[in-house]
């Protein structure tokens, strides 16, 4: 995603060939298929299953923490993807995005105006950029999904505040998730907070059930969406991952079929955690252990 010198906006870059996961590492069942089979396992897990999801989640979280030292001016998003690949596979886990519906990489790298699903390539990260890296690890039959923002070099105050407030929005949404409430409470809290600052709240990309499936079919909205009436239960596992923009929440899709960018070129920030619901509320599973 090099930058167009006329507009400063990103354009598609050159990609490397997909990396090969060692044969000893178990693959998710969708690898090699155009799409995953429909998930019918539900979204509520036993304590033993939650522990397995937690292990996968920690691998993904550790990978994001490991990457922090490498997100510096001059690195390419493909180089960061290579580091993510090596880290996740060295822990015996499979990078869930690799081969999911044909996605060609082990992470999503979403820079500046990219909302989500950016494909790593030869784009050079520059001082002043903001970068989201999204990693999901598949380990012991379970997926753990997380992403975070990185500030590259000298970032302007407006962008820094967007990143900080998007994290706060996620944490408020997580805090609102309690047994007996409907999932729409999460989005209502997030949108109310984002509205204080005039941020756009992306609606068409949501949180989701995760665990035995990468995406179970459960939708977790990040905006006030009363039509989503699923009741939150103890043992339920899902992601909360709001995407907030400095401008419009409208988006457009690149020809690669994956990269989603803001329609007006404004910057976007996103944070994501996988959580499990307990009697007292949501517990974050995507916490680093290393």
């Amino acid at each position: 995603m090099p930058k167009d010198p006329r507009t400063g906006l990103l354009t598609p870059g050159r990609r490397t060939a997909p990396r090969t996961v060692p044969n000893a590492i178990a693959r998710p069942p969708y690898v090699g298929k155009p799409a995953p089979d429909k998930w019918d396992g539900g979204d509520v897990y036993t304590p033993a299953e939650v522990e397995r999801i937690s292990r996968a989640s920690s691998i993904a979280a550790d990978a994001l923490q490991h990457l922090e030292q490498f997100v510096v001016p001059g690195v390419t998003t493909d180089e960061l993807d290579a580091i993510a690949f090596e880290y996740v596979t060295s822990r015996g886990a499979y990078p869930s995005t690799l081969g999911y519906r044909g996605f060609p990489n082990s992470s999503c790298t979403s820079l500046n105006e990219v909302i989500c699903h950016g494909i790593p390539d030869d784009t050079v990260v520059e001082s002043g950029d903001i970068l989201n890296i999204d990693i999901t690890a598949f380990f012991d039959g379970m997926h753990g999904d997380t992403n975070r923002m990185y500030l590259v070099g000298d970032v302007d105050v407006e962008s820094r505040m967007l990143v900080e407030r998007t994290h706060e929005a996620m944490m408020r949404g997580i805090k609102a998730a309690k047994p007996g409430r409907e999932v729409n409470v999460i989005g209502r809290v997030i949108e109310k907070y984002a509205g204080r600052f005039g941020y756009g709240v992306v609606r068409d990309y949501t949180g989701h059930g995760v665990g035995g499936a990468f995406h179970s079919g459960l939708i977790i909205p990040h905006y006030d969406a009363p039509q989503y009436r699923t009741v939150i239960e103890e043992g339920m596992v899902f992601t909360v991952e709001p995407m907030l923009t400095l401008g419009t929440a409208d988006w457009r899709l690149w020809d690669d079929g994956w990269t989603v960018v803001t329609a007006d070129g404004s910057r976007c920030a996103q944070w994501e955690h996988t959580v499990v619901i307990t009697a007292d509320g949501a517990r974050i599973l995507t916490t680093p252990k290393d």
Side-chain angles (χ1 to χ4, degrees):
M1 293 178 282
K3 292 178 182 174
D4 185 322
R6 298 165 299 174
T7 65
L9 299 179
L10 300 168
T11 59
R14 293 188 300 274
R15 301 187 226 154
T16 57
R19 296 176 173 87
T20 303
V21 176
N23 291 331
I25 294 177
R27 272 79 169 147
Y30 54 73
V31 173
K33 298 179 180 180
D37 296 333
K38 185 177 179 181
W39 174 250
D40 59 5
D43 294 291
V44 176
Y45 293 88
T46 67
E49 290 169 333
V50 170
E51 179 57 33
R52 289 163 57 201
I53 299 170
S54 181
R55 288 197 294 269
S57 296
S58 290
I59 292 170
D62 286 339
L64 291 181
Q65 181 170 268
H66 177 68
L67 279 166
E68 187 167 15
Q69 63 192 301
F70 302 104
V71 182
V72 295
V75 72
T76 69
T77 54
D78 183 70
E79 289 169 339
L80 294 172
D81 184 70
I83 295 166
F85 172 86
E86 292 297 334
Y87 189 95
V88 171
T89 57
S90 73
R91 266 59 180 178
Y94 185 96
S96 302
T97 55
L98 183 60
Y100 179 76
R101 297 184 181 271
F103 191 81
N105 288 83
S106 303
S107 63
C108 300
T109 52
S110 300
L111 190 66
N112 295 341
E113 72 267 22
V114 180
I115 294 172
C116 58
H117 305 159
I119 300 177
D121 58 21
D122 65 348
T123 298
V124 176
V125 178
E126 301 174 355
S127 181
D129 288 340
I130 60 172
L131 174 67
N132 178 278
I133 301 180
D134 192 326
I135 294 177
T136 306
F138 178 74
F139 184 78
D140 193 16
M142 296 293 185
H143 299 270
D145 188 4
T146 185
N147 72 50
R148 60 158 290 185
M149 297 298 299
Y150 301 85
L151 302 172
V152 185
D154 186 14
V155 176
D156 66 86
V157 173
E158 186 179 39
S159 296
R160 284 178 175 270
M161 294 307 297
L162 173 69
V163 169
E164 180 180 311
R165 289 164 175 164
T166 302
H167 182 269
E168 175 66 16
M170 174 189 66
M171 296 305 293
R172 288 180 180 227
I174 290 171
K175 187 176 181 180
K178 297 181 182 297
R181 294 179 173 178
E182 296 177 352
V183 295
N184 58 52
V185 69
I186 297 169
R188 186 161 62 251
V189 167
I190 289 170
E191 186 168 54
K192 182 177 180 180
Y193 177 73
R196 295 186 192 177
F197 314 105
Y199 294 152
V201 182
V202 176
R203 296 186 168 210
D204 295 320
Y205 295 89
T206 68
H208 54 87
V210 67
F214 190 174
H215 296 80
S216 71
L218 172 67
I219 293 175
I220 306 298
H222 302 125
Y223 63 101
D224 190 359
Q227 67 269 32
Y228 292 104
R229 303 290 306 274
T230 302
V231 176
I232 299 170
E233 304 176 51
E234 282 190 59
M236 188 175 281
V237 179
F238 53 80
T239 71
V240 178
E241 48 183 304
M243 291 151 259
L244 306 184
T245 73
L246 289 176
T248 182
D250 295 336
W251 54 271
R252 60 184 179 86
L253 184 67
W254 280 6
D255 291 342
D256 61 23
W258 284 103
T259 306
V260 182
V261 299
T262 56
D264 60 1
S266 62
R267 287 188 165 189
C268 180
Q270 181 188 18
W271 292 81
E272 175 186 22
H273 275 309
T274 292
V275 303
V276 61
I277 301 301
T278 72
D280 299 322
R283 175 166 65 91
I284 295 172
L285 299 179
T286 39
T287 54
K289 292 293 191 287
D290 277 3

